[in-house]
Amino acid sequence: MLKFMKIKILICSIICVSYCSKPLVHQDIDSFFIKLKKESNNINLEKFYSSDTIFYTEKLIQTKRYTKNDIIHILPQLNIHTNYTIKKIKILSSKATVKITYIKHPVENMIGYSQTLQLIKERKGWKIDFKRELEPILHSGKRSVDIKNYIKSLK
């Protein structure tokens, strides 16, 4: 009887740990997005974006085709004019894929738009990893005017 009780406690503990830990990780990601939204006016790239993203933003600025302001407008941001819902979170170790849908956005066409963001855990926190999107821009050879016009068209 005692052996059966120990097994039952062990199984309950395993189930509790596996199910109770998932919401904490999801909560961690949600709090990351809340901080990003709160600090959107004074964006600190190192705080919210991966080291690879920072590397590519610096490379793009070095080409003299882009300013830091251009890059900030390319990166996904949430601000006081933006509301979203998190539709899906998939976590694999230190990487996460998060699908958000905009429910309020200054650009009307973005309302209802779903965007999938890659996150990576660096320096004990989640960061947006935008390397896949920035790398082709660096190697495209397009002039910054093309990107600037594209950005202006979104506003």
Side-chain angles (χ1 to χ4, degrees), residues 43-55:
I43 195 83
N44 177 349
L45 294 179
E46 289 80 13
K47 188 172 183 178
F48 297 105
Y49 299 94
S50 71
S51 56
D52 282 340
T53 302
I54 301 301
F55 172 80

Side-chain angles (χ1 to χ4, degrees), residues 78-149:
L78 301 171
N79 57 44
I80 58 169
H81 305 291
T82 310
N83 283 336
Y84 63 92
T85 56
I86 295 178
K87 294 291 187 178
K88 184 178 179 183
I89 298 176
K90 182 179 178 185
I91 300 168
L92 294 170
S93 185
S94 63
K95 294 184 178 188
T97 303
V98 180
K99 184 177 183 177
I100 63 171
T101 300
Y102 296 102
I103 55 176
K104 180 183 172 195
H105 199 280
V107 178
E108 193 174 324
N109 290 347
M110 294 293 287
I111 298 170
Y113 174 75
S114 292
Q115 182 175 20
T116 302
L117 300 171
Q118 304 301 316
L119 273 62
I120 189 166
K121 200 151 205 173
E122 287 183 352
R123 291 174 255 127
K124 299 180 183 178
W126 290 105
K127 313 279 185 202
I128 296 174
D129 189 22
F130 215 60
K131 174 191 169 190
R132 274 190 338 197
E133 291 79 3
L134 292 176
E135 190 174 24
I137 295 172
L138 179 64
H139 300 297
S140 73
K142 287 199 175 209
R143 297 183 333 244
S144 63
V145 175
D146 298 336
I147 300 297
K148 287 179 186 177
N149 288 337

Side-chain angles (χ1 to χ4, degrees), residues 8-53:
K8 192 174 182 181
I9 290 172
L10 179 64
I11 291 171
C12 288
S13 298
I14 291 170
I15 291 171
C16 182
V17 167
S18 67
Y19 283 105
C20 295
S21 66
K22 287 180 184 177
L24 291 177
V25 175
H26 289 214
Q27 229 174 16
D28 194 25
I29 289 175
D30 195 39
S31 68
F32 165 79
F33 281 109
I34 291 168
K35 288 176 191 170
L36 176 63
K37 185 174 177 170
K38 279 184 183 176
E39 297 183 30
S40 66
N41 291 338
N42 301 318
I43 195 83
N44 177 349
L45 294 179
E46 289 80 13
K47 188 172 183 178
F48 297 105
Y49 299 94
S50 71
S51 56
D52 282 340
T53 302

